[in-house]
């Protein structure tokens, strides 16, 4: 009986986090100290997370806006705007982790792993960039603003 009760309590606590799916990422996110300064606005269009990333001007340059798509259901999407025009991305969400592989028109590849924290207020983006130079790994962390 105790085992059944503990299982029910665990499900009651864990289910809201895991049931969030891609909706858990929707909102405005600001990068945490120690990672490059940026704001990501994430919206859900069907089964695709649409990201609008705003980066402040660096070294006297203008502010940069990047639009990118992250499918969550195993499908492939094409991008048609800005620096990502011609890129194709395939992604899948499992639990609180979104994994997306993107190939740009020039052949450069990005492997993104987004992990949503249990509290739904933080997520990390582990990114491996390959093609051209030797592969490099970048880690970002974000806190939800709304």
């Amino acid at each position: 009986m105790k085992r059944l009760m503990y299982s029910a309590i665990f499900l009651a606590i864990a289910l809201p986090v895991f049931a969030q799916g891609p909706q858990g990422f929707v909102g405005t996110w600001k990068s945490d100290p120690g990672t490059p300064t940026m704001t990501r606005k994430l919206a859900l269009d069907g089964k695709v997370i649409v990201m609008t990333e705003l980066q402040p001007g660096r070294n006297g340059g203008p502010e940069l806006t990047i639009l990118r798509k992250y499918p969550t259901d195993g499908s492939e999407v094409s991008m048609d705007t800005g620096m990502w025009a011609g890129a194709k991305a395939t992604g899948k969400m499992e639990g609180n982790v979104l994994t997306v592989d993107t190939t740009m028109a020039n052949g450069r590849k990005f492997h993104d792993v987004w992990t949503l924290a249990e509290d739904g207020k933080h997520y990390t983006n582990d990114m491996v960039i390959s093609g051209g130079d030797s592969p490099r790994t970048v880690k970002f962390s974000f806190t939800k603003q709304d």
Side-chain angles (χ1 to χ4, degrees):
M1 186 66 174
K2 277 187 177 182
R3 195 176 296 174
L4 182 60
M5 185 183 310
Y6 289 132
S7 295
I9 291 170
F10 173 76
L11 281 175
I13 293 169
L15 203 53
V17 171
F18 296 117
Q20 286 182 353
Q23 299 87 351
F25 286 108
V26 172
T28 301
W29 300 81
K30 187 170 173 112
S31 59
D32 294 330
T35 62
T37 303
M38 67 184 79
T39 300
R40 288 183 173 176
K41 295 179 181 183
L42 305 177
L44 195 58
D45 182 9
K47 300 286 184 176
V48 177
I49 295 174
V50 178
M51 178 186 79
T52 303
E53 183 177 277
L54 306 170
Q55 296 180 6
R58 292 184 172 93
N59 300 322
E63 182 177 86
L64 184 61
T65 301
I66 297 172
L67 302 173
R68 205 169 155 194
K69 296 178 183 177
Y70 297 84
T72 64
D73 63 350
S75 65
E76 179 181 87
V77 297
S78 296
M79 292 172 245
D80 56 6
T81 306
M83 67 183 278
W84 291 95
K88 295 191 181 299
T90 303
K92 186 165 187 171
M93 181 115 190
E94 294 178 339
N96 65 336
V97 178
L98 173 65
T99 303
V100 178
D101 289 297
T102 305
T103 303
M104 295 182 80
N106 66 5
R108 180 165 279 172
K109 296 182 181 198
F110 292 75
H111 177 76
D112 286 278
V113 178
W114 290 9
T115 305
L116 184 64
E118 289 185 24
D119 65 7
K121 296 177 183 176
H122 304 276
Y123 86 92
T124 57
N125 177 188
D126 294 306
M127 178 189 296
V128 177
I129 305 166
S130 59
D133 302 334
S134 59
R136 66 182 176 118
T137 301
V138 184
K139 184 171 183 147
F140 304 94
S141 61
F142 296 87
T143 299
K144 197 166 195 175
Q145 302 299 297
D146 61 10

